[in-house]
Amino acid sequence: MSFSRWWTETIAALGDQLPLPLAALLLVLVTALTATAWYTFPSWLPRRLPRPRRRRRTGAGSGKPEAAPPTTVAAPPPAGPVATIPVADRLAAEGRYDEAVRERLHVMLHQLTDRDVVRVRPGMTVAEVVTDAATNHPPAGPPLTAAAGIFSEVWYAQRPATAEHDHRMRDHAARLGELLAEAPPRKDDDR
């Protein structure tokens, strides 16, 4: 059967079932909807597909969230890295190890910028900060490299953090603090 014969028979069968003006109207509507969808293509797609959230167990397998302890009003914490250490400890105590790891790295970056070891610019990656810091203050390289590895494993590889990750980050942050306290602050601005 040739294409022209098939087309003629298909149109004739369609004409027997559906009046021609209605078929033409449906064809125009489908064409208009297709053209509109094609013209506005990117706007009706989500910019980023939603990621499934990981559920955290709170309590000893009960499945029910524990009641939050009563909060007290306290003085606001001081600004800078000292303020984020209690935040990281609180997050770790709540079992939110992912955020605790991030906050501990944030403390380490504040220590580096406060001691003028590295100048963190917007858009810098963790690897770039570690490279700059190891260049400017070589003893800081090993704890920073280890901390960056933990951070990358948790945040970029999206593996859930554990208490062990938080403990190791705490050790690396303390070691970096000791190393930076031993060295005199940099005075040169030729970077």
Side-chain angles (χ1 to χ4, degrees), residues 63-187:
K64 296 180 183 177
E66 296 178 354
T71 57
T72 58
V73 177
V82 178
T84 57
I85 292 173
V87 172
D89 291 339
R90 180 180 51 83
L91 290 169
E94 292 174 359
R96 296 166 52 189
Y97 298 115
D98 293 350
E99 287 121 359
V101 165
R102 182 186 63 201
E103 285 300 317
R104 294 199 194 286
L105 185 68
H106 193 210
V107 169
M108 295 171 85
L109 293 178
H110 270 292
Q111 290 173 340
L112 291 170
T113 56
D114 289 347
R115 298 293 290 185
D116 200 25
V117 173
V118 67
R119 186 171 296 148
V120 179
R121 296 175 308 278
M124 283 183 79
T125 65
V126 176
E128 291 172 336
V129 172
V130 169
T131 303
D132 286 353
T135 302
N136 296 334
H137 188 63
L144 276 174
T145 302
I150 294 170
F151 177 80
S152 296
E153 178 182 342
V154 170
W155 281 95
Y156 298 135
Q158 297 180 352
R159 294 193 178 103
T162 63
E164 176 62 27
H165 288 112
D166 179 60
H167 180 70
R168 289 183 5 224
M169 282 295 282
R170 185 185 317 231
D171 291 344
H172 296 315
R175 180 68 184 136
L176 180 67
E178 293 169 5
L179 290 170
L180 293 176
E182 293 171 2
R186 293 174 53 106
K187 299 286 187 207

Side-chain angles (χ1 to χ4, degrees), residues 1 32 40 44 59 95 151 169 191:
M1 175 186 303
T40 62
W44 50 267
F151 177 80
M169 282 295 282
R191 284 178 279 139

Side-chain angles (χ1 to χ4, degrees), residues 7-60:
W7 179 254
T8 306
E9 289 179 3
T10 303
I11 295 299
L14 183 65
D16 291 343
Q17 302 295 324
L18 199 65
L20 186 61
L22 182 61
L25 178 66
L26 290 176
L27 184 62
V28 167
L29 285 176
V30 167
T31 304
L33 287 174
T34 304
T36 303
W38 185 272
Y39 181 73
T40 62
F41 171 67
S43 65
W44 50 267
L45 280 181
R47 288 191 181 265
R48 185 173 155 197
L49 296 176
R51 286 191 334 205
R53 296 262 219 200
R54 293 185 292 225
R55 294 184 184 202
R56 298 197 184 276
R57 298 193 103 163
T58 58

